[in-house]
Amino acid sequence: MNTELILQHGLTLDEYEVINNYLQRELTMEELGIFSAMWNEHCCYKTSKKWLKKLPTSNDIVIQGPGENAGIIDIQDDDAIAFKIESHNHPSYIEPFNGSATGVGGILRDIFTMGARPIATLNSIRFGDLSNFKTKYLVNGVVKGIGHYGNCIGIPNIGGECEFDHSYNYNNLVNAMAIGHVKKDSIFYSEPKTIGGLIVYIGSKTGKDGIHGASMASDVFSEDDEDSKRPSVQVGDPFMEKLLMEGCLELMDAKLIESMQDMGAAGITSSSVEMASKGNLGVEINLDKIPLREPLTAYEILLSESQERMLAVILEENNEKVKNILKKWEIDYEVIGVVTDTKKVIFKSQDKIVVDLPVDIIVDSAPEYDRPFNLPLKRKVQEYDFSRLNTETCLNNLLTNINYSHKAWVYDQYDSTVMGDTICEPGSSSGIVKVHKTNKAIGATTDCNPLYIRINPEQGMAHTVVESYRNLVSSNIKPMAITNNLNFASPIDQNIMGELVLSIHGLKETAEYFDTPIVSGNVSLYNQTNDEPIKPTPVIGCVGLNEDYQSIIPTHFQNDGDQIFMIGKPLDLAESPYFLQDQLGLNNINEFNDLAKCDFALEKKHQDFLFQMFDKNIIKSCNDISRGGPIHSLITMMTSQLGFHIKHSNELSLFSEYLAGYIMIIDQNNSESIVKEAQAGCIDLMHLGSVKNSAIEINKFQPKFNSVYEIYKNNFSDRIKN
Amino acid sequence: MSLSSAVITFPGSNCDRDAQTYLEALTSQDTHKVWHKDVSLPKVDLLIIPGGFSFGDYLRSGAMASKSPIINDVLKHADRGGYIIGICNGFQILTEIGLLDGALNRNINLKFLAKNCFIKKNHDNYFNKKILSDQCLSIPVAHNEGSYYNSEEGLKSLEDNQQISFLYCDEKGNTTDQSNLNGSLNHIAGITNKKKNVLGLMPHPERAFQDFHTSQDGQLILESLLG
Amino acid sequence: MRVKILVRLKKQILEPQGKNIEESLNSLGFDKCSNIRQGKLIELDLPDGLEDRDTYIKTICDKLLVNNVIEEYEVL
């Protein structure tokens, strides 16, 4: 053991000293590998833990909060929904196809390891400028990879986001979210209960995937060839995972499993340590029993991140039955160890003990940092010149900006209707699936406004969260709980650390006000290359419920002659960051004014109003207002036949952001009713105009409907092709 | 009239539950679930070979499924006039078995394609007799290898024997290059065997029948069979 | 012994993969390639001195490895 080796494994000398003092001896190489995996940011959240603890994580509907493979909420009757979002950023820059595919695979395992059948996925993906040399290659690879994995395993992809910004030029982001359905009495946890219980390995053989070769001491690697020293990319096999999923769900259905954990980041190391920790027990595992693809040393086995593998604890009397079910699905299965009462993690290899560590030192003593951070400086008030903007130029800027363009090129590569329960597909306000054999519907979205977070992390986060609520509410889905993926650059930079701390605070405040606890999530830090950090990108995955799937509200225009109404408070143009960025071309973050404060009371008031109007069948379709203002909302509501005629005294404000903004489409015959209801509820309602066959008119401006529709539909697919 | 039915599951089939839901809703009978390693099929009127990625689509889509133990009985079922519908991967499997002519190739734009498409009836058969000749059905497709291929003689034979069940079209019923999403020869979306008791089609009718689906046109295929 | 079987789409079949590869090479500045076709290589071990080796290979190709409607093969 020497300093260099310790530092190469990502531990500080202080951290090593803590371990050394506790154990009163030097670590073995294998044990060093374990700490390197378990004490890194991804596994122990050392930078973010202190702040994440402040988040609201429970209420009456939460069955399982953070701490297990996924969060679980009660959706009434016997039903529960498990969900989580996770990142696979760095691998998808190196190898976009496999990096993103394995991201999908990993999140799905987190769901079915708890006994829940996955019923939907969503993806939040972000890339650099299209003009950057690698962007198109990354977009193609990532979209193909997500599609490949999700389509093959047969789970519908129902929504997500796809954003482009130069700050992601060298650090593209792939956040994968999954949702699963489980009966409340059939949830499985990772906690083993029985001393003497068999620890079993289920799934693909182990290989060198994901082991970081280059900087490690050479004597820990197998001697076969040169390749053994190069880092290996994780390659996923969705067919294998489909078999694994069916096999595991069948085992759990037959109540043959005591506990289960998937082998994700840090493979068998993290899964066995977490199991031991949860059960307050010990594990003893023989590495010689692990099914291998190729010869591997003990160190390599411990750190391998080969995909499609699960660790489970079963009672000895169930061994034969388990074996037979897995044989049917042709899945590898080995008994590799036993649950003990020693509260230690023991790994053996070739008759030697290579790891002998108390669980406490790995888990409870894991470092928790309190990194210093800066609060953002107060912004000076700025003024801008909007004189060169008019409706035509603003509309043109929207239509030619790929961030506003229709993304069918992306989601036409994702199967969104497999499993036969999809109600709202990508392109709608939120993705919605019916809960099989019930009348309930689950809605989900992923949202983030990195520009807002950069300007004011706390308020920016609040705006992001309420926007995710609006996306659900506009479909008549009640937001219930949140999962979050915090993607940030280096926390060693005190400004960036400040963004992390404050956005968590903003999330806390909003989630508390609206009683939507955070039940799961993931943190991805160090997303930066040289001096270019990504914009702070805390992605919110929001999930909600509608008890009657027939009352789901569509997003798009329905009929010619329907009336267009709007609620919401427009922001001053000078306080609309996306307006300033996308219409005036502002780029330097110092040029922006501070964000307007998020108005929780107004958001709640409008949510309640909409739910009442939906109940009374007054609204035919609905969309929220966010980036691009009411005009962008209306464009996304258009169909190949239906446009809009609107009048407004302040045309430019039709492109600005709003607080608690929604567009509502009302049958002509109900116009009076909505006006009366708004008056009764003290809601500021504005009548904008009407839905019109094959026409667009904004005051006197009348662009050609077909041209606008074609550009909106094709801008992105035209630009992404070579 | 009712119909007894079965659905075969192969390792990697992922539309088997959807096919079962479709059958049970429209035939009002429980559907038998068959595992690919079973050696015999229950005696049923209709067998569905569902969509998915049987055997991961490794080697070729449907290639390995076509060698499963259950296939012998599938052939016997077809031989004695039993109905079979092969959907998507099921269509691919039927061509690999040889119950249907031709092969399904990679989509012409080389991308997985998942969207609603329109199909229309071409030659009459048991599976489309309730569909009017000018009626366009809106049904989702979701596939990577859906481009129908056959030799010139093969295509002529399909025409001569009136085996072309469905064509891709636009919402007005025109067969155009644009409406032929995957580049299938002669816009072919579905075909039958000579006896017309076996149908293979790429679109998924089991995703277009419930009240919350974008379209309910998928019902027409089963309703045709139910008489 | 190691057997290598090259499986390709028949010449008369439209093969968009090859065309796509050609376009990508062109866009990278390599415009001297044309008529690109893409196939797949299946490698396997057979015991040395296997009787009727050629027949064995032909049979496995016909039965599983090759779809004779659209593919042809060559033992390298």
Side-chain angles (χ1 to χ4, degrees), chain A residues 151-152 154 237 239 242 330 412 414-415 417 419-420 549-550, chain B residues 13-14 17-18 37 53 56 58 112 114 142 207 211-213:
Chain A
N151 297 339
C152 181
D237 180 352
F239 170 61
K242 167 70 170 168
E330 294 177 31
D412 279 355
Y414 303 154
D415 191 341
T417 53
M419 295 184 84
Y549 75 93
Q550 290 181 321
Chain B
S13 295
N14 57 38
R17 189 188 77 171
D18 306 352
K37 281 201 171 146
F53 283 69
Y58 295 146
F112 190 93
R207 300 186 195 182
D211 58 353
F212 60 88
H213 288 161

PDB file of all heavy atoms in Angstrom, chain A residues 151-152 154 237 239 242 330 412 414-415 417 419-420 549-550, chain B residues 13-14 17-18 37 53 56 58 112 114 142 207 211-213:
ATOM      1  N   ASN A 151     -36.923  -0.756 -26.625  1.00  0.00           N
ATOM      2  CA  ASN A 151     -37.798  -1.431 -27.586  1.00  0.00           C
ATOM      3  C   ASN A 151     -37.672  -2.939 -27.463  1.00  0.00           C
ATOM      4  O   ASN A 151     -38.655  -3.671 -27.505  1.00  0.00           O
ATOM      5  CB  ASN A 151     -37.442  -1.024 -29.022  1.00  0.00           C
ATOM      6  CG  ASN A 151     -37.645   0.455 -29.265  1.00  0.00           C
ATOM      7  OD1 ASN A 151     -38.379   1.124 -28.544  1.00  0.00           O
ATOM      8  ND2 ASN A 151     -36.979   0.970 -30.283  1.00  0.00           N
ATOM      9  N   CYS A 152     -36.435  -3.389 -27.302  1.00  0.00           N
ATOM     10  CA  CYS A 152     -36.228  -4.836 -27.258  1.00  0.00           C
ATOM     11  C   CYS A 152     -36.855  -5.431 -26.001  1.00  0.00           C
ATOM     12  O   CYS A 152     -37.530  -6.447 -26.063  1.00  0.00           O
ATOM     13  CB  CYS A 152     -34.728  -5.140 -27.305  1.00  0.00           C
ATOM     14  SG  CYS A 152     -34.365  -6.896 -27.271  1.00  0.00           S
ATOM     15  N   GLY A 154     -39.246  -4.212 -24.405  1.00  0.00           N
ATOM     16  CA  GLY A 154     -40.694  -4.100 -24.558  1.00  0.00           C
ATOM     17  C   GLY A 154     -41.373  -3.213 -23.532  1.00  0.00           C
ATOM     18  O   GLY A 154     -42.449  -3.551 -23.023  1.00  0.00           O
ATOM     19  N   ASP A 237     -27.283  -6.069 -22.917  1.00  0.00           N
ATOM     20  CA  ASP A 237     -27.993  -7.056 -23.720  1.00  0.00           C
ATOM     21  C   ASP A 237     -29.452  -7.036 -23.292  1.00  0.00           C
ATOM     22  O   ASP A 237     -29.829  -7.701 -22.326  1.00  0.00           O
ATOM     23  CB  ASP A 237     -27.360  -8.437 -23.494  1.00  0.00           C
ATOM     24  CG  ASP A 237     -28.043  -9.537 -24.286  1.00  0.00           C
ATOM     25  OD1 ASP A 237     -29.093  -9.279 -24.903  1.00  0.00           O
ATOM     26  OD2 ASP A 237     -27.515 -10.663 -24.277  1.00  0.00           O
ATOM     27  N   PHE A 239     -32.061  -8.345 -24.479  1.00  0.00           N
ATOM     28  CA  PHE A 239     -32.742  -9.644 -24.529  1.00  0.00           C
ATOM     29  C   PHE A 239     -32.480 -10.389 -23.232  1.00  0.00           C
ATOM     30  O   PHE A 239     -33.388 -10.947 -22.600  1.00  0.00           O
ATOM     31  CB  PHE A 239     -32.242 -10.444 -25.740  1.00  0.00           C
ATOM     32  CG  PHE A 239     -32.688 -11.871 -25.755  1.00  0.00           C
ATOM     33  CD1 PHE A 239     -34.044 -12.183 -25.795  1.00  0.00           C
ATOM     34  CD2 PHE A 239     -31.779 -12.921 -25.726  1.00  0.00           C
ATOM     35  CE1 PHE A 239     -34.477 -13.504 -25.809  1.00  0.00           C
ATOM     36  CE2 PHE A 239     -32.199 -14.241 -25.745  1.00  0.00           C
ATOM     37  CZ  PHE A 239     -33.547 -14.533 -25.775  1.00  0.00           C
ATOM     38  N   LYS A 242     -34.572  -8.899 -20.565  1.00  0.00           N
ATOM     39  CA  LYS A 242     -35.983  -9.302 -20.657  1.00  0.00           C
ATOM     40  C   LYS A 242     -36.172 -10.658 -19.981  1.00  0.00           C
ATOM     41  O   LYS A 242     -37.096 -10.849 -19.196  1.00  0.00           O
ATOM     42  CB  LYS A 242     -36.405  -9.358 -22.133  1.00  0.00           C
ATOM     43  CG  LYS A 242     -37.727 -10.054 -22.425  1.00  0.00           C
ATOM     44  CD  LYS A 242     -38.936  -9.276 -21.944  1.00  0.00           C
ATOM     45  CE  LYS A 242     -40.223  -9.911 -22.493  1.00  0.00           C
ATOM     46  NZ  LYS A 242     -41.419  -9.389 -21.833  1.00  0.00           N
ATOM     47  N   GLU A 330     -33.594 -19.772 -19.037  1.00  0.00           N
ATOM     48  CA  GLU A 330     -32.201 -19.930 -19.483  1.00  0.00           C
ATOM     49  C   GLU A 330     -31.296 -18.839 -18.922  1.00  0.00           C
ATOM     50  O   GLU A 330     -30.512 -18.222 -19.641  1.00  0.00           O
ATOM     51  CB  GLU A 330     -32.156 -19.996 -21.012  1.00  0.00           C
ATOM     52  CG  GLU A 330     -32.860 -21.263 -21.498  1.00  0.00           C
ATOM     53  CD  GLU A 330     -32.939 -21.409 -23.002  1.00  0.00           C
ATOM     54  OE1 GLU A 330     -32.030 -20.935 -23.700  1.00  0.00           O
ATOM     55  OE2 GLU A 330     -33.917 -22.021 -23.466  1.00  0.00           O
ATOM     56  N   ASP A 412     -39.908   8.877 -32.607  1.00  0.00           N
ATOM     57  CA  ASP A 412     -40.361   7.853 -33.554  1.00  0.00           C
ATOM     58  C   ASP A 412     -39.432   6.647 -33.545  1.00  0.00           C
ATOM     59  O   ASP A 412     -39.741   5.616 -34.139  1.00  0.00           O
ATOM     60  CB  ASP A 412     -40.452   8.413 -34.977  1.00  0.00           C
ATOM     61  CG  ASP A 412     -41.735   9.197 -35.208  1.00  0.00           C
ATOM     62  OD1 ASP A 412     -42.588   9.226 -34.291  1.00  0.00           O
ATOM     63  OD2 ASP A 412     -41.876   9.781 -36.293  1.00  0.00           O
ATOM     64  N   TYR A 414     -38.568   5.378 -30.663  1.00  0.00           N
ATOM     65  CA  TYR A 414     -38.893   4.703 -29.404  1.00  0.00           C
ATOM     66  C   TYR A 414     -40.288   4.099 -29.525  1.00  0.00           C
ATOM     67  O   TYR A 414     -41.241   4.796 -29.898  1.00  0.00           O
ATOM     68  CB  TYR A 414     -38.936   5.684 -28.238  1.00  0.00           C
ATOM     69  CG  TYR A 414     -37.698   6.500 -27.971  1.00  0.00           C
ATOM     70  CD1 TYR A 414     -37.793   7.733 -27.336  1.00  0.00           C
ATOM     71  CD2 TYR A 414     -36.423   6.047 -28.314  1.00  0.00           C
ATOM     72  CE1 TYR A 414     -36.666   8.498 -27.051  1.00  0.00           C
ATOM     73  CE2 TYR A 414     -35.288   6.814 -28.035  1.00  0.00           C
ATOM     74  CZ  TYR A 414     -35.427   8.038 -27.403  1.00  0.00           C
ATOM     75  OH  TYR A 414     -34.323   8.801 -27.128  1.00  0.00           O
ATOM     76  N   ASP A 415     -40.441   2.853 -29.168  1.00  0.00           N
ATOM     77  CA  ASP A 415     -41.766   2.250 -29.143  1.00  0.00           C
ATOM     78  C   ASP A 415     -42.530   2.845 -27.954  1.00  0.00           C
ATOM     79  O   ASP A 415     -42.128   2.657 -26.807  1.00  0.00           O
ATOM     80  CB  ASP A 415     -41.633   0.725 -28.997  1.00  0.00           C
ATOM     81  CG  ASP A 415     -42.950   0.009 -29.231  1.00  0.00           C
ATOM     82  OD1 ASP A 415     -44.018   0.651 -29.143  1.00  0.00           O
ATOM     83  OD2 ASP A 415     -42.916  -1.211 -29.483  1.00  0.00           O
ATOM     84  N   THR A 417     -46.010   2.447 -27.580  1.00  0.00           N
ATOM     85  CA  THR A 417     -47.317   1.827 -27.352  1.00  0.00           C
ATOM     86  C   THR A 417     -47.254   0.349 -26.986  1.00  0.00           C
ATOM     87  O   THR A 417     -48.294  -0.271 -26.765  1.00  0.00           O
ATOM     88  CB  THR A 417     -48.228   1.987 -28.591  1.00  0.00           C
ATOM     89  OG1 THR A 417     -47.532   1.504 -29.747  1.00  0.00           O
ATOM     90  CG2 THR A 417     -48.615   3.433 -28.798  1.00  0.00           C
ATOM     91  N   MET A 419     -47.060  -2.836 -24.722  1.00  0.00           N
ATOM     92  CA  MET A 419     -47.784  -3.141 -23.479  1.00  0.00           C
ATOM     93  C   MET A 419     -49.234  -2.670 -23.554  1.00  0.00           C
ATOM     94  O   MET A 419     -50.013  -2.912 -22.647  1.00  0.00           O
ATOM     95  CB  MET A 419     -47.095  -2.578 -22.219  1.00  0.00           C
ATOM     96  CG  MET A 419     -45.747  -3.214 -21.968  1.00  0.00           C
ATOM     97  SD  MET A 419     -44.948  -2.660 -20.440  1.00  0.00           S
ATOM     98  CE  MET A 419     -45.705  -3.744 -19.245  1.00  0.00           C
ATOM     99  N   GLY A 420     -49.599  -1.976 -24.630  1.00  0.00           N
ATOM    100  CA  GLY A 420     -51.007  -1.699 -24.916  1.00  0.00           C
ATOM    101  C   GLY A 420     -51.738  -0.773 -23.964  1.00  0.00           C
ATOM    102  O   GLY A 420     -52.955  -0.657 -24.020  1.00  0.00           O
ATOM    103  N   TYR A 549     -59.162   7.001 -15.996  1.00  0.00           N
ATOM    104  CA  TYR A 549     -58.406   7.248 -17.229  1.00  0.00           C
ATOM    105  C   TYR A 549     -59.239   7.941 -18.305  1.00  0.00           C
ATOM    106  O   TYR A 549     -58.695   8.590 -19.192  1.00  0.00           O
ATOM    107  CB  TYR A 549     -57.828   5.925 -17.767  1.00  0.00           C
ATOM    108  CG  TYR A 549     -58.849   5.026 -18.429  1.00  0.00           C
ATOM    109  CD1 TYR A 549     -59.063   5.096 -19.798  1.00  0.00           C
ATOM    110  CD2 TYR A 549     -59.600   4.122 -17.685  1.00  0.00           C
ATOM    111  CE1 TYR A 549     -60.003   4.286 -20.418  1.00  0.00           C
ATOM    112  CE2 TYR A 549     -60.537   3.311 -18.286  1.00  0.00           C
ATOM    113  CZ  TYR A 549     -60.748   3.401 -19.659  1.00  0.00           C
ATOM    114  OH  TYR A 549     -61.672   2.588 -20.258  1.00  0.00           O
ATOM    115  N   GLN A 550     -60.563   7.823 -18.213  1.00  0.00           N
ATOM    116  CA  GLN A 550     -61.392   8.435 -19.252  1.00  0.00           C
ATOM    117  C   GLN A 550     -61.471   9.953 -19.116  1.00  0.00           C
ATOM    118  O   GLN A 550     -61.937  10.637 -20.018  1.00  0.00           O
ATOM    119  CB  GLN A 550     -62.809   7.831 -19.234  1.00  0.00           C
ATOM    120  CG  GLN A 550     -62.793   6.397 -19.714  1.00  0.00           C
ATOM    121  CD  GLN A 550     -64.158   5.757 -19.743  1.00  0.00           C
ATOM    122  OE1 GLN A 550     -64.976   5.979 -18.844  1.00  0.00           O
ATOM    123  NE2 GLN A 550     -64.422   4.954 -20.749  1.00  0.00           N
TER     124      GLN A 550
ATOM    125  N   SER B  13     -40.431 -12.450 -26.481  1.00  0.00           N
ATOM    126  CA  SER B  13     -41.717 -11.926 -26.974  1.00  0.00           C
ATOM    127  C   SER B  13     -42.151 -10.859 -25.988  1.00  0.00           C
ATOM    128  O   SER B  13     -42.101 -11.095 -24.781  1.00  0.00           O
ATOM    129  CB  SER B  13     -42.794 -13.007 -26.997  1.00  0.00           C
ATOM    130  OG  SER B  13     -42.481 -14.016 -27.921  1.00  0.00           O
ATOM    131  N   ASN B  14     -42.584  -9.688 -26.474  1.00  0.00           N
ATOM    132  CA  ASN B  14     -43.054  -8.714 -25.492  1.00  0.00           C
ATOM    133  C   ASN B  14     -44.441  -8.173 -25.777  1.00  0.00           C
ATOM    134  O   ASN B  14     -44.915  -7.294 -25.063  1.00  0.00           O
ATOM    135  CB  ASN B  14     -42.031  -7.588 -25.285  1.00  0.00           C
ATOM    136  CG  ASN B  14     -41.681  -6.867 -26.559  1.00  0.00           C
ATOM    137  OD1 ASN B  14     -42.539  -6.638 -27.397  1.00  0.00           O
ATOM    138  ND2 ASN B  14     -40.417  -6.498 -26.715  1.00  0.00           N
ATOM    139  N   ARG B  17     -48.743 -10.390 -23.811  1.00  0.00           N
ATOM    140  CA  ARG B  17     -49.826  -9.974 -22.912  1.00  0.00           C
ATOM    141  C   ARG B  17     -50.815  -9.085 -23.659  1.00  0.00           C
ATOM    142  O   ARG B  17     -52.029  -9.188 -23.467  1.00  0.00           O
ATOM    143  CB  ARG B  17     -49.257  -9.233 -21.706  1.00  0.00           C
ATOM    144  CG  ARG B  17     -50.287  -8.960 -20.613  1.00  0.00           C
ATOM    145  CD  ARG B  17     -49.757  -8.063 -19.529  1.00  0.00           C
ATOM    146  NE  ARG B  17     -49.733  -6.676 -19.962  1.00  0.00           N
ATOM    147  CZ  ARG B  17     -49.474  -5.648 -19.152  1.00  0.00           C
ATOM    148  NH1 ARG B  17     -49.204  -5.865 -17.884  1.00  0.00           N
ATOM    149  NH2 ARG B  17     -49.473  -4.418 -19.614  1.00  0.00           N
ATOM    150  N   ASP B  18     -50.295  -8.215 -24.543  1.00  0.00           N
ATOM    151  CA  ASP B  18     -51.166  -7.325 -25.316  1.00  0.00           C
ATOM    152  C   ASP B  18     -52.097  -8.146 -26.207  1.00  0.00           C
ATOM    153  O   ASP B  18     -53.282  -7.839 -26.335  1.00  0.00           O
ATOM    154  CB  ASP B  18     -50.337  -6.398 -26.214  1.00  0.00           C
ATOM    155  CG  ASP B  18     -49.287  -5.616 -25.452  1.00  0.00           C
ATOM    156  OD1 ASP B  18     -49.278  -5.668 -24.212  1.00  0.00           O
ATOM    157  OD2 ASP B  18     -48.453  -4.963 -26.108  1.00  0.00           O
ATOM    158  N   LYS B  37     -41.588 -23.961 -25.733  1.00  0.00           N
ATOM    159  CA  LYS B  37     -41.026 -25.316 -25.606  1.00  0.00           C
ATOM    160  C   LYS B  37     -42.117 -26.366 -25.428  1.00  0.00           C
ATOM    161  O   LYS B  37     -41.811 -27.557 -25.398  1.00  0.00           O
ATOM    162  CB  LYS B  37     -40.066 -25.376 -24.409  1.00  0.00           C
ATOM    163  CG  LYS B  37     -38.710 -24.796 -24.719  1.00  0.00           C
ATOM    164  CD  LYS B  37     -37.645 -25.303 -23.768  1.00  0.00           C
ATOM    165  CE  LYS B  37     -36.280 -24.870 -24.272  1.00  0.00           C
ATOM    166  NZ  LYS B  37     -35.353 -24.574 -23.177  1.00  0.00           N
ATOM    167  N   PHE B  53     -39.159  -9.257 -29.579  1.00  0.00           N
ATOM    168  CA  PHE B  53     -37.805  -9.521 -30.065  1.00  0.00           C
ATOM    169  C   PHE B  53     -37.443 -10.932 -29.644  1.00  0.00           C
ATOM    170  O   PHE B  53     -36.569 -11.155 -28.812  1.00  0.00           O
ATOM    171  CB  PHE B  53     -36.813  -8.532 -29.418  1.00  0.00           C
ATOM    172  CG  PHE B  53     -36.826  -7.160 -29.995  1.00  0.00           C
ATOM    173  CD1 PHE B  53     -37.917  -6.319 -29.816  1.00  0.00           C
ATOM    174  CD2 PHE B  53     -35.738  -6.684 -30.705  1.00  0.00           C
ATOM    175  CE1 PHE B  53     -37.936  -5.046 -30.340  1.00  0.00           C
ATOM    176  CE2 PHE B  53     -35.732  -5.398 -31.234  1.00  0.00           C
ATOM    177  CZ  PHE B  53     -36.829  -4.574 -31.046  1.00  0.00           C
ATOM    178  N   GLY B  56     -33.988 -12.165 -28.982  1.00  0.00           N
ATOM    179  CA  GLY B  56     -33.219 -10.937 -29.151  1.00  0.00           C
ATOM    180  C   GLY B  56     -33.097 -10.480 -30.590  1.00  0.00           C
ATOM    181  O   GLY B  56     -32.351  -9.543 -30.875  1.00  0.00           O
ATOM    182  N   TYR B  58     -31.555 -12.053 -32.560  1.00  0.00           N
ATOM    183  CA  TYR B  58     -30.186 -12.435 -32.927  1.00  0.00           C
ATOM    184  C   TYR B  58     -30.191 -13.305 -34.172  1.00  0.00           C
ATOM    185  O   TYR B  58     -31.127 -14.038 -34.424  1.00  0.00           O
ATOM    186  CB  TYR B  58     -29.501 -13.164 -31.773  1.00  0.00           C
ATOM    187  CG  TYR B  58     -29.299 -12.268 -30.578  1.00  0.00           C
ATOM    188  CD1 TYR B  58     -29.371 -12.760 -29.287  1.00  0.00           C
ATOM    189  CD2 TYR B  58     -29.046 -10.903 -30.737  1.00  0.00           C
ATOM    190  CE1 TYR B  58     -29.193 -11.938 -28.199  1.00  0.00           C
ATOM    191  CE2 TYR B  58     -28.874 -10.074 -29.650  1.00  0.00           C
ATOM    192  CZ  TYR B  58     -28.948 -10.597 -28.381  1.00  0.00           C
ATOM    193  OH  TYR B  58     -28.772  -9.779 -27.288  1.00  0.00           O
ATOM    194  N   PHE B 112     -35.414   2.379 -36.290  1.00  0.00           N
ATOM    195  CA  PHE B 112     -36.611   1.804 -35.687  1.00  0.00           C
ATOM    196  C   PHE B 112     -37.739   2.798 -35.916  1.00  0.00           C
ATOM    197  O   PHE B 112     -37.563   4.003 -35.777  1.00  0.00           O
ATOM    198  CB  PHE B 112     -36.393   1.590 -34.199  1.00  0.00           C
ATOM    199  CG  PHE B 112     -37.478   0.783 -33.550  1.00  0.00           C
ATOM    200  CD1 PHE B 112     -37.351  -0.593 -33.427  1.00  0.00           C
ATOM    201  CD2 PHE B 112     -38.624   1.394 -33.051  1.00  0.00           C
ATOM    202  CE1 PHE B 112     -38.355  -1.357 -32.828  1.00  0.00           C
ATOM    203  CE2 PHE B 112     -39.629   0.640 -32.459  1.00  0.00           C
ATOM    204  CZ  PHE B 112     -39.495  -0.733 -32.344  1.00  0.00           C
ATOM    205  N   ALA B 114     -41.624   3.846 -34.959  1.00  0.00           N
ATOM    206  CA  ALA B 114     -42.758   3.647 -34.063  1.00  0.00           C
ATOM    207  C   ALA B 114     -43.714   4.809 -34.233  1.00  0.00           C
ATOM    208  O   ALA B 114     -43.463   5.896 -33.738  1.00  0.00           O
ATOM    209  CB  ALA B 114     -42.281   3.557 -32.608  1.00  0.00           C
ATOM    210  N   ALA B 142     -44.287  -0.614 -35.031  1.00  0.00           N
ATOM    211  CA  ALA B 142     -43.110  -0.428 -34.161  1.00  0.00           C
ATOM    212  C   ALA B 142     -42.119  -1.509 -34.538  1.00  0.00           C
ATOM    213  O   ALA B 142     -42.173  -2.626 -34.023  1.00  0.00           O
ATOM    214  CB  ALA B 142     -43.507  -0.537 -32.692  1.00  0.00           C
ATOM    215  N   ARG B 207     -52.891  -2.903 -30.477  1.00  0.00           N
ATOM    216  CA  ARG B 207     -52.662  -1.599 -29.867  1.00  0.00           C
ATOM    217  C   ARG B 207     -53.672  -0.580 -30.392  1.00  0.00           C
ATOM    218  O   ARG B 207     -53.516   0.623 -30.207  1.00  0.00           O
ATOM    219  CB  ARG B 207     -51.244  -1.096 -30.186  1.00  0.00           C
ATOM    220  CG  ARG B 207     -50.159  -2.014 -29.679  1.00  0.00           C
ATOM    221  CD  ARG B 207     -48.803  -1.398 -29.888  1.00  0.00           C
ATOM    222  NE  ARG B 207     -47.741  -2.380 -29.734  1.00  0.00           N
ATOM    223  CZ  ARG B 207     -46.444  -2.092 -29.834  1.00  0.00           C
ATOM    224  NH1 ARG B 207     -46.067  -0.856 -30.088  1.00  0.00           N
ATOM    225  NH2 ARG B 207     -45.542  -3.042 -29.681  1.00  0.00           N
ATOM    226  N   ASP B 211     -60.807   1.824 -25.782  1.00  0.00           N
ATOM    227  CA  ASP B 211     -61.375   3.173 -25.921  1.00  0.00           C
ATOM    228  C   ASP B 211     -60.311   4.260 -25.742  1.00  0.00           C
ATOM    229  O   ASP B 211     -60.466   5.349 -26.278  1.00  0.00           O
ATOM    230  CB  ASP B 211     -62.554   3.393 -24.950  1.00  0.00           C
ATOM    231  CG  ASP B 211     -62.184   3.197 -23.496  1.00  0.00           C
ATOM    232  OD1 ASP B 211     -61.042   2.765 -23.208  1.00  0.00           O
ATOM    233  OD2 ASP B 211     -63.037   3.467 -22.624  1.00  0.00           O
ATOM    234  N   PHE B 212     -59.244   3.984 -25.022  1.00  0.00           N
ATOM    235  CA  PHE B 212     -58.242   5.016 -24.818  1.00  0.00           C
ATOM    236  C   PHE B 212     -57.128   4.970 -25.857  1.00  0.00           C
ATOM    237  O   PHE B 212     -56.254   5.822 -25.874  1.00  0.00           O
ATOM    238  CB  PHE B 212     -57.645   4.927 -23.406  1.00  0.00           C
ATOM    239  CG  PHE B 212     -56.964   3.612 -23.128  1.00  0.00           C
ATOM    240  CD1 PHE B 212     -55.623   3.428 -23.434  1.00  0.00           C
ATOM    241  CD2 PHE B 212     -57.667   2.559 -22.563  1.00  0.00           C
ATOM    242  CE1 PHE B 212     -54.996   2.216 -23.167  1.00  0.00           C
ATOM    243  CE2 PHE B 212     -57.045   1.342 -22.304  1.00  0.00           C
ATOM    244  CZ  PHE B 212     -55.704   1.177 -22.607  1.00  0.00           C
ATOM    245  N   HIS B 213     -57.139   3.952 -26.735  1.00  0.00           N
ATOM    246  CA  HIS B 213     -56.157   3.925 -27.819  1.00  0.00           C
ATOM    247  C   HIS B 213     -56.500   5.012 -28.823  1.00  0.00           C
ATOM    248  O   HIS B 213     -57.654   5.413 -28.952  1.00  0.00           O
ATOM    249  CB  HIS B 213     -56.158   2.561 -28.518  1.00  0.00           C
ATOM    250  CG  HIS B 213     -55.552   1.475 -27.694  1.00  0.00           C
ATOM    251  ND1 HIS B 213     -55.793   0.135 -27.939  1.00  0.00           N
ATOM    252  CD2 HIS B 213     -54.704   1.502 -26.640  1.00  0.00           C
ATOM    253  CE1 HIS B 213     -55.115  -0.602 -27.065  1.00  0.00           C
ATOM    254  NE2 HIS B 213     -54.460   0.205 -26.268  1.00  0.00           N
TER     255      HIS B 213
END
